[in-house]
Amino acid sequence: MSPTSSRGMWSSRAGFILAAAGSAVGLGNIWGFPTQVGQGGGATFVVIYLACIFLICAPIMAGEIAIGRRTGLSPVGAFSALAPGRRWWLLGALGVLAGVGILSFYSVIAGWAVAYVWFTATGAVSGSPDDIGRFFAEFTGSGLISAFLAILVIGITAGVLLGGVRAGIERVTKLLMPLLALLLVALAVRAVTLPGAGEGLAYYLRPDLSRLADVGVFTSALGQAFFSLSLGMGCILTYGSYLSRQDGIAASALWIVALDTSIALLAGFIIFPVGFSIAGFDPTASGPGLIFTVLPRLFAEMPGGHLFGGAFFLLLSVAALTSTISLLEVPVSHCVDALGWTREKAVAAVAGAISVLAIPSALGNGAVGVFTSLPGLGMGFLDLMVTVWNEVALPVGGLLTAIFVGRIWGVDRALEELRAEGRWMPVPELWSFLLRWVCPAAIAMILVAALAALF
Ligand code: PFF
C-alpha cells in the first residue's frame, strides 16, 4: 500500500487512514498533549483543544486532503497548480520549513523515548519520585547523549525513506498501533485506581473558568491541535495526493481525527492520576519531562512494571517513527519535485540539515546555558521551537489553507472533490461555513490576541 518512488496509490481507504493516523499519532498525543494540558491548567485546556479539533482542524483536514487528491502533487506544486501565477506556492514552502523545524526538536524527544525503552526495561530508572526526576535531569542534562540519540532517530528515519522498508514499517505499524492503544487502556485502568488519582482526574476533567482569560491557553491549544493532527504544513495534503478517487475524503478525515483525539485523551487519563498520586506534584512546572518523570512511577507500582514500561516506550518510539517519516517526507518530496534532486541527495541533504538544527534543542536541557535559557526570551531553545513551529507556523498554515480552499480554489470546486464518485459528505453547508468563516476568524483572533499579549 505504500506509495513509493513513482507516484503510487494507497491500496484502500483503510491504507490511507492508517498511514495518516500513523503520522498523526505520535509524541504529540502522548508527550505533547499531557504536557500542554499540565501547563495550560487542566480541563480548561482540554475543552478549548476539543473545540479547536472539531470546529477548526477537522474542516481544514478535509480541505487539505481534497487539494492533495485533486492535484496529485506535493504542497508547493499543488498550490501553484490550483492558483497558477500567484504566490500561493509560498504556503507550500512554509510547510517545507515547518517539516524541517518540527523534526529538529521532535527527534530529540523521540531519542529520549528510545533511551527510556532501555532505562525502564532494565530498571535503571526507579526509586522515589525524586530519584526518577533526578535521573531524567542528569540524562537530558548531558546534552551529548541527547544529540547523539536525536541524530540516530533522524538517521533511522532517513534510512526508512531511502531503503524502501517503508512498506514493512507500515505492516508492522498496523499491528503495533492497536497494541499501543490497548496498552494505554490497561495503563489508564491501573492509573485511575491509584490512591490520590481522584485529584488528578478532577484536574483533567473539571474546567477552571478563570483560565479562559489567558490567551496563552488558546494559542497552545490551537497549536497542539494542528501539531497532533499533522495539519497546516502539507503533510496530510501529501498523503491525500496518493488517495484514490473511489475513497471518501470526509469519512477518512473524521476517522483520522477520532483516532488521534482518542489516543491523546487516553494519555491524559494516565498521566494526571499518576502525577497527582505523587506528593507535591505540580503539573504546571513539569515541562517536557512530564511523561518521563511521571510514568516510571506508574511502572514501579505495577506487577511486571519493567515489562510494561519497556513495552510502552518501545511502542511510543514506533509511533514517533511513523510521524518522523511523514515529517521528513514533506521537505524531501519538495526537493525531488521542485529542485529535481534525486531522492538520495534530497534525503541526505535534508536529514543532514535537520541533524545540525537538532543540536541546540538537544543541548538546551541543562548542558549549555544559552540554549537552556535563551537570553531575553526566558525559554529554552526546544520551547522556542515548539512556540515558533507549533503555535505560529502551523496555525498560520492552517489559516491560509482555509482561506485558500474557501475563497481561492473555492468551496464548490472543493466540494466536487469531496463528493467525487458519490462519496459520503455530510452537511456540506456546515463544512463550508466553518471553513469560510469560523476557521479564518477564530485562528486570526487567537493569533492577534497572542501578538497583542506580547506587548
Ligand atoms: N502529529 C505528530 C504527533 O502528534 O506526534 C507530529 C507531526 C507529524 C506534526 C507530521 C506534523 C507533521 F507533518
Side-chain angles (χ1 to χ4, degrees):
M1 79 177 182
S2 167
T4 40
S5 45
S6 64
R7 285 197 85 78
M9 286 281 169
W10 309 108
S11 62
S12 63
R13 194 184 84 190
F16 166 71
I17 293 173
L18 277 169
S23 165
V25 174
L27 296 172
N29 307 64
I30 290 162
W31 164 78
F33 179 74
T35 308
Q36 302 276 352
V37 174
Q39 291 173 346
T44 314
F45 179 96
V46 178
V47 172
I48 301 172
Y49 176 81
L50 290 175
C52 292
I53 289 280
F54 289 103
L55 299 178
I56 300 176
C57 292
I60 295 180
M61 175 166 289
E64 258 201 37
I65 301 174
I67 298 173
R69 191 174 65 185
R70 167 50 61 95
T71 59
L73 293 169
S74 51
V76 173
F79 287 110
S80 359
L82 295 179
R86 304 186 53 181
R87 299 232 172 85
W88 282 94
W89 62 269
L90 283 168
L91 177 51
L94 178 68
V96 170
L97 291 180
V100 171
I102 292 177
L103 188 50
S104 80
F105 76 82
Y106 201 92
S107 56
V108 174
I109 317 289
W112 295 348
V114 171
Y116 267 68
V117 177
W118 175 256
F119 293 154
T120 46
T122 58
V125 50
S126 57
S128 71
D130 283 347
D131 293 337
I132 293 172
R134 220 171 297 122
F135 182 92
F136 177 78
E138 268 166 32
F139 163 63
T140 53
S142 146
L144 285 182
I145 301 180
S146 292
F148 169 78
L149 289 167
I151 293 171
L152 181 74
V153 167
I154 297 168
I156 294 173
T157 309
V160 171
L161 279 196
L162 273 186
V165 284
R166 187 160 161 182
I169 290 272
E170 279 160 9
R171 223 168 299 129
V172 175
T173 313
K174 251 191 228 173
L175 187 82
L176 294 188
M177 287 305 102
L179 215 57
L180 174 66
L182 274 181
L183 184 63
L184 290 175
V185 172
L187 295 179
V189 169
R190 180 65 192 104
V192 297
T193 51
L194 286 174
E199 206 188 324
L201 286 175
Y203 181 78
Y204 187 40
L205 298 176
R206 204 175 302 141
D208 163 8
L209 295 181
S210 69
R211 298 286 306 193
L212 286 176
D214 179 357
V215 60
V217 179
F218 286 83
T219 37
S220 35
L222 183 68
Q224 175 63 27
F226 275 103
F227 176 67
S228 190
L229 292 174
S230 306
L231 206 61
M233 54 162 282
C235 176
I236 293 291
L237 186 159
T238 307
Y239 275 22
S241 72
Y242 305 114
L243 186 67
S244 130
R245 279 177 69 82
Q246 306 304 321
D247 298 322
I249 293 178
S252 307
L254 287 179
W255 264 110
I256 299 164
V257 168
L259 286 171
D260 188 70
T261 307
S262 327
I263 300 274
L265 290 175
L266 204 48
F269 278 105
I270 303 171
I271 299 288
F272 295 104
V274 181
F276 279 87
S277 75
I278 300 170
F281 173 70
D282 177 4
T284 55
S286 309
L290 181 67
I291 71 163
F292 298 98
T293 48
V294 164
L295 287 178
R297 210 42 231 148
L298 173 64
F299 303 133
E301 296 287 331
M302 293 174 81
H306 291 339
L307 202 72
F308 275 105
F312 170 82
F313 282 109
L314 182 67
L315 294 173
L316 180 61
S317 303
V318 174
L321 184 64
T322 54
S323 301
T324 57
I325 292 170
S326 70
L327 278 163
L328 188 58
E329 178 74 39
V330 174
V332 164
S333 66
H334 171 70
C335 293
V336 172
D337 288 353
L339 305 178
W341 292 2
T342 62
R343 206 163 163 82
E344 287 72 20
K345 178 175 168 188
V347 169
V350 177
I354 295 173
S355 300
V356 173
L357 195 60
I359 291 173
S361 287
L363 301 186
N365 304 282
V368 173
V370 272
F371 295 142
T372 305
S373 175
L374 295 165
L377 290 178
M379 58 168 89
F381 193 85
L382 200 154
D383 272 343
L384 177 70
M385 289 288 108
V386 173
T387 308
V388 168
W389 299 110
N390 297 14
E391 292 181 11
V392 182
L394 296 185
V396 167
L399 169 71
L400 294 173
T401 305
I403 296 176
F404 184 84
V405 176
R407 295 166 192 280
I408 306 295
W409 185 30
V411 272
D412 293 339
R413 261 167 285 183
L415 270 173
E416 245 168 58
E417 192 61 36
L418 288 165
R419 287 178 171 143
E421 316 282 336
R423 290 298 137 205
W424 182 71
M425 173 62 200
V427 278
E429 302 78 15
L430 176 66
W431 176 76
S432 114
F433 175 72
L434 290 173
L435 197 80
R436 282 172 63 86
W437 301 102
V438 177
C439 298
I443 302 175
M445 261 162 54
I446 294 175
L447 290 174
V448 168
L451 208 64
L454 279 182
F455 302 105

